[in-house]
Amino acid sequence: MTNIQDIARLAGVSTATVSRVINKRGYVSALTKQKVLEIIKKLDYVPNANAISLKKGKTRQIGIITTLFSPIIIQFVRTFSLIAEKNRFNITLFITNGDPAKEILALEMLRGKQLDGIACLIRSNTWEVIESYTRYGPIVTWQRLQNEHLPSVFMDQFHAYQVGLEHLYAKGYRKILSVYPMSQGLNTKERIRAYSEFAQRYHLITDIFPHFEDKMLVQDGEELATWWLSQKYRPDAIFCANDEVAAGLMTSLKRLGFSIPGDVGILGFDNTEVAHLLDLTTINYPIDQQAENAFFILQNKLNNTSHLLNTLTYKLVERKST
Amino acid sequence: MTNIQDIARLAGVSTATVSRVINKRGYVSALTKQKVLEIIKKLDYVPNANAISLKKGKTRQIGIITTLFSPIIIQFVRTFSLIAEKNRFNITLFITNGDPAKEILALEMLRGKQLDGIACLIRSNTWEVIESYTRYGPIVTWQRLQNEHLPSVFMDQFHAYQVGLEHLYAKGYRKILSVYPMSQGLNTKERIRAYSEFAQRYHLITDIFPHFEDKMLVQDGEELATWWLSQKYRPDAIFCANDEVAAGLMTSLKRLGFSIPGDVGILGFDNTEVAHLLDLTTINYPIDQQAENAFFILQNKLNNTSHLLNTLTYKLVERKST
DNA sequence: TTGTAAGCGTTATCAA
DNA sequence: TTGATAACGCTTACAA
C-alpha cells in the first residue's frame, strides 16, 4: 500500500534519500535519517520486493527440484535451506513426482527471473533439457554427471560400495546379492562396477542371482522378501539399494519368522533414521556436506566468488543386521 | 535479456500488441499474432515475472511454514503443493527449526509482496504475532485456533482420541498411559479432555502415572521405554502422541526382549509409513484432505470465491501392536 | 485492430 | 548532503 514516495513526501525529502536510509548507502545526515526512520515506522512501511527484484535483476530465491521426498532428500533439503537462509537466500521447493512438465515449470521460473539459481536433486527431464536452461542461471545437480555446464555434488559411490562389500566378506558372507537403485543412474553403474571388481578379486560367482534394479522403496524390499522366500538357492547376504529397501526386506522376513542376520545378512545404504530404528548396518553418506557444497557452487557462480567446497568422506556404520 | 520492447520493435508493432498476443487478451489480427509469435520464438523470449508481479501486485506464490519435517508434515506439504500447482500457484517452503526469527522472515515476505498467502503448519512465534501479519495477506493454519483472522484446517482430535481409547478398552487394557505432543497445543488439550472423559466413564484411575507431554520424536519413544522398564507398576497399554514415538517405544522394548502387545499394548497416531512398517495400530488422520482445505481457504480469500471444503473423517487402523 | 503513454515501486546516476 | 530523473519490463485505459 504505502510506498517509498509516501515516506519521502511525509518526511519532506526525496525518494532517493529514503532509499539511502533504507539501504544504508551514501551520505544521509543524522537528522534526516531519524526523521525518515520515524515515518517508516509510523506508516509500517516495507519496500516492495518485486520492484527491487525488477530493478536489480535478482531475487535471492533458489529453487530445489526433486521427484520425491525420501528421507535422504529431506535431509539434503533441510541442510541446504539452512545454509541458504544463513546467506539471505530463500528456497522454493519443487516436488515433481517425476512429471517432466512440473520440472519445466521450475526451470521456467529461472528463465522468467523468479529464481536466481536451481539445485536439481533428482531430475525428470533429460540432462540435455536441463542443461539448456543453464544459460538462464546456475544449476547444480546431485546425481553424477560429466558436464561442464552442470556442476554436481555427486560423491563417487564406487569406493563406498567397496567398503560395504568388504564388510560383508569379512563377516563371512560369500553368496551376496546386490540390489541397485535407479537403472539409469551413474550411481548404479558405479556400484555394479564395484561389485564386479569385488567378485573377481575374491573369485566369487556373480551370475547365480537375477539382476535387481530400480529398487528404492520399502515396498520393493517387501517384494524382495517374497522373492528370497521362493528360492531354493538363496543369497546369504543382501546389499540393498538404500535403507528403505533394507527396512522393507528385513521387517518382511522377520514377520515370516526368519532371523536377521542369522538366516540372511542385510546391508543398507545412506544411514537414514530408519536404519537407526531397525538396527540396520549401513553406509553413512555425508548428505549434509553435499548439500552445503551444492549451495556453495551456486553461490560462487552467482557472486563470482570461490568459496572452498567440503571434502566428502563416508564410512560403514555397523549395527545388527550383518 | 530480451524484453517486450525488443519483440515489439522487431515485429514492427507496439508493446501493447505484443502483450495482447502473450496474454491472449483483446483483439489481434491473425497476421500480426503470427508475426509476433515468430519473433518471440526466434529470440527465446519470456516475460519477466518480477515486472508482472510488480504491475499486478500478485505473485502467485504461496509460503508454507513449518518447524520441522516429520512424515506427517511431508505428506501435508506434498498434497498442498500438488493442488497449488494445479491452480498455477508456486510453493515456497520455510523450515524454521523452531526459530521465531526465521518464521518472521517468511511473514515478512508476505508483507513485502513476495507471497500472496501463507499456510502456517507449525508456528514458532505466538499467535498474536502471526495474526498481526494477516493484514498483509491471507494466512491459514493447521493447529487449532479460535480466531476470526486465522482460519484453521484443524480437525477436532477429541473424537479421534476417544476412538483410540475405546479400542484399547475393548482390547482389555485398563492401565492406559497417555502420552501427549506439544504441551501448548490445543490438540493436546483435546486429547487430555478425551482421556479424562473416558477414564471417568469407565471408572479408571488416571493419576497413577506421570504426565508426559512434548513427546514427538522417535527418541522420545526410546526414552519412554527406559521409563517403562524402571517402573514396578507398569501401564499395560501406551497411547502415543504419534507414530514416531510409538515406533521408538516399540523397537526399544523389543530390543530389551519384551513382546508387543504381549507385555504392553502400543497405539500410535497419524498412520504414517512407519506405522505400516512396524505393524503399529494407529489412528488414520486425513492429512490430504486437510492440506487441500488449507489451499482452498487461501484461494477463496485470494479470489474472493467460495470453493467448498472437504468434510474430514478419521478411523482406527488395527494392526499388531494392541 | 493497433498504438500511446501512464503507471507499478524501486535504485542509481548525475547534478546541485 | 540531497534531489531530479531515467531506467527496470510489463499491463491497461484511452485514443485513434
Side-chain angles (χ1 to χ4, degrees):
Chain A
M1 297 285 118
T2 138
N3 60 22
I4 203 172
Q5 312 213 40
D6 298 333
I7 305 300
R9 191 166 5 91
L10 287 167
V13 297
S14 72
T15 61
T17 301
V18 177
S19 180
R20 280 188 203 103
V21 170
I22 292 168
N23 298 298
K24 307 183 207 303
R25 201 192 310 281
Y27 299 104
V28 184
S29 78
L31 203 71
T32 32
K33 182 173 173 180
Q34 192 198 331
K35 178 77 184 159
V36 168
L37 288 175
E38 222 163 69
I39 306 286
I40 285 178
K41 187 151 208 177
K42 186 190 277 178
L43 289 207
D44 187 32
Y45 164 78
V46 229
N48 180 311
N50 296 309
I52 298 174
S53 295
L54 172 60
K55 185 69 186 141
K56 296 205 166 170
K58 304 273 169 203
T59 58
R60 303 200 75 78
Q61 198 87 23
I62 292 177
I64 298 184
I65 296 177
T66 174
T67 55
L68 79 178
F69 248 157
S70 77
I72 199 151
I73 300 276
I74 290 160
Q75 199 183 336
F76 191 109
V77 171
R78 186 194 290 129
T79 306
F80 189 96
S81 304
L82 238 50
I83 185 117
E85 279 160 21
K86 216 170 276 172
N87 289 274
R88 294 176 304 117
F89 279 93
N90 288 309
I91 300 303
T92 301
L93 200 57
F94 298 91
I95 303 136
T96 62
N97 242 321
D99 180 359
K102 272 198 194 138
E103 188 171 86
I104 292 290
L105 223 71
L107 294 164
E108 284 294 328
M109 278 181 71
L110 182 67
R111 196 164 162 233
K113 302 277 183 200
Q114 290 196 81
L115 257 28
D116 285 352
I118 284 180
C120 182
L121 305 194
I122 307 189
R123 69 169 216 283
S124 299
N125 287 276
T126 65
W127 286 120
E128 286 72 41
V129 170
I130 293 167
E131 190 197 337
S132 73
Y133 278 89
T134 54
R135 35 198 303 238
Y136 306 118
I139 300 178
V140 63
T141 75
W142 191 20
Q143 288 158 299
R144 182 180 182 183
L145 206 67
Q146 294 102 334
N147 184 316
E148 59 168 325
H149 296 299
L150 275 176
S152 164
V153 292
F154 168 84
M155 189 179 164
D156 191 343
Q157 300 202 338
F158 177 79
H159 212 160
Y161 213 66
Q162 272 189 328
V163 169
L165 290 166
E166 289 295 343
H167 167 75
L168 291 176
Y169 192 86
K171 283 283 176 178
Y173 298 109
R174 294 297 179 270
K175 299 179 287 181
I176 300 169
L177 168 65
S178 191
V179 177
Y180 303 103
M182 276 205 301
S183 52
Q184 298 301 332
L186 273 172
N187 282 347
T188 294
K189 279 208 187 95
E190 287 297 288
R191 292 187 192 191
I192 290 174
R193 197 162 69 82
Y195 186 63
S196 306
E197 191 272 348
F198 166 79
Q200 202 162 18
R201 185 145 43 86
Y202 289 112
H203 308 293
L204 301 179
I205 306 160
T206 63
D207 51 0
I208 30 174
F209 304 123
H211 190 72
F212 288 101
E213 285 191 351
D214 286 311
K215 303 302 177 202
M216 283 166 288
L217 309 175
V218 165
Q219 200 195 330
D220 293 325
E222 292 171 350
E223 288 168 12
L224 204 56
T226 311
W227 172 86
W228 186 84
L229 198 62
S230 71
Q231 302 299 302
K232 288 150 303 212
Y233 184 77
R234 292 167 177 164
D236 57 2
I238 302 180
F239 195 169
C240 295
N242 60 31
D243 292 336
E244 281 70 55
V245 173
L249 172 62
M250 185 159 95
T251 51
S252 283
L253 288 180
K254 281 193 173 173
R255 261 172 220 162
L256 294 165
F258 293 95
S259 107
I260 313 295
D263 294 311
V264 57
I266 296 179
L267 180 54
F269 203 99
D270 290 344
N271 193 27
T272 51
E273 191 178 53
V274 75
H276 161 69
L277 206 58
L278 299 180
D279 262 337
L280 268 168
T281 299
T282 188
I283 311 280
N284 183 271
Y285 202 56
I287 297 302
D288 294 343
Q289 298 176 301
Q290 289 185 79
E292 288 187 355
N293 280 356
F295 176 75
F296 292 148
I297 290 175
L298 249 29
Q299 198 187 30
N300 283 341
K301 293 221 173 192
L302 251 18
N303 304 343
N304 218 10
T305 56
S306 53
H307 191 293
L308 285 182
L309 303 189
N310 295 313
T311 311
L312 304 177
T313 56
Y314 46 76
K315 63 176 198 290
L316 187 96
V317 180
E318 187 170 353
R319 294 205 182 90
K320 296 183 178 153
S321 67
T322 53
Chain B
M1 298 286 116
T2 138
N3 59 24
I4 203 171
Q5 309 211 42
D6 297 333
I7 305 300
R9 191 167 4 92
L10 287 166
V13 297
S14 72
T15 59
T17 301
V18 177
S19 178
R20 283 189 201 102
V21 170
I22 292 168
N23 299 297
K24 308 183 206 302
R25 200 194 309 282
Y27 298 106
V28 185
S29 78
L31 204 70
T32 31
K33 182 173 173 180
Q34 192 198 331
K35 179 76 182 161
V36 168
L37 288 175
E38 223 164 68
I39 305 285
I40 284 179
K41 186 153 211 175
K42 185 191 276 176
L43 291 207
D44 188 30
Y45 165 77
V46 230
N48 181 310
N50 297 309
I52 297 174
S53 294
L54 172 60
K55 185 69 186 142
K56 296 206 166 167
K58 304 272 168 201
T59 58
R60 303 201 75 78
Q61 197 88 23
I62 291 176
I64 298 183
I65 295 177
T66 173
T67 55
L68 78 180
F69 246 158
S70 77
I72 200 150
I73 300 276
I74 290 161
Q75 198 183 336
F76 190 108
V77 171
R78 185 194 290 130
T79 306
F80 189 96
S81 303
L82 238 51
I83 185 117
E85 278 159 21
K86 214 168 275 169
N87 288 274
R88 294 176 303 116
F89 279 94
N90 288 309
I91 300 303
T92 300
L93 200 56
F94 298 90
I95 303 136
T96 62
N97 244 319
D99 180 358
K102 273 199 193 137
E103 188 170 87
I104 292 290
L105 223 72
L107 294 165
E108 283 294 327
M109 279 181 68
L110 182 68
R111 193 160 164 237
K113 302 276 183 201
Q114 290 197 80
L115 258 26
D116 286 353
I118 285 181
C120 181
L121 305 194
I122 307 190
R123 71 169 214 282
S124 299
N125 287 276
T126 64
W127 287 120
E128 286 73 39
V129 170
I130 294 168
E131 190 197 336
S132 72
Y133 278 88
T134 54
R135 36 198 302 237
Y136 306 117
I139 300 178
V140 63
T141 75
W142 192 20
Q143 289 157 298
R144 183 179 181 184
L145 207 67
Q146 294 102 334
N147 183 316
E148 59 167 324
H149 296 298
L150 277 174
S152 164
V153 292
F154 169 83
M155 188 180 162
D156 191 341
Q157 300 201 339
F158 177 80
H159 212 161
Y161 213 67
Q162 272 190 328
V163 169
L165 290 166
E166 289 293 344
H167 167 74
L168 291 176
Y169 192 88
K171 283 283 175 177
Y173 298 107
R174 295 296 179 270
K175 296 179 287 178
I176 301 170
L177 169 66
S178 191
V179 177
Y180 303 102
M182 277 204 301
S183 52
Q184 298 301 333
L186 272 171
N187 282 347
T188 294
K189 279 209 187 96
E190 286 299 285
R191 292 186 192 190
I192 290 174
R193 197 163 68 83
Y195 185 64
S196 306
E197 190 272 349
F198 165 79
Q200 200 163 20
R201 186 145 41 88
Y202 289 112
H203 307 293
L204 302 178
I205 305 161
T206 62
D207 50 0
I208 30 174
F209 304 123
H211 191 73
F212 288 101
E213 286 193 351
D214 286 311
K215 303 302 175 202
M216 282 167 286
L217 310 174
V218 166
Q219 200 196 329
D220 293 325
E222 292 172 350
E223 289 168 11
L224 204 56
T226 312
W227 172 85
W228 185 85
L229 197 63
S230 70
Q231 301 300 301
K232 288 150 303 212
Y233 184 77
R234 293 167 176 162
D236 57 3
I238 302 181
F239 195 169
C240 295
N242 60 31
D243 291 336
E244 282 71 54
V245 173
L249 173 62
M250 186 159 93
T251 51
S252 284
L253 289 180
K254 280 191 174 174
R255 263 172 218 160
L256 294 166
F258 294 95
S259 107
I260 312 295
D263 292 311
V264 57
I266 297 180
L267 180 54
F269 203 98
D270 291 343
N271 194 27
T272 51
E273 193 180 50
V274 75
H276 160 69
L277 206 59
L278 299 179
D279 262 338
L280 267 168
T281 299
T282 188
I283 311 279
N284 183 272
Y285 202 56
I287 296 301
D288 294 344
Q289 297 176 303
Q290 289 185 79
E292 288 188 356
N293 280 357
F295 176 75
F296 292 148
I297 289 174
L298 249 29
Q299 198 185 31
N300 283 342
K301 292 219 174 193
L302 250 21
N303 304 342
N304 219 7
T305 57
S306 53
H307 192 293
L308 284 183
L309 304 189
N310 296 311
T311 310
L312 305 177
T313 55
Y314 47 76
K315 61 176 198 289
L316 187 96
V317 180
E318 186 169 355
R319 295 205 181 89
K320 294 181 181 154
S321 68
T322 54

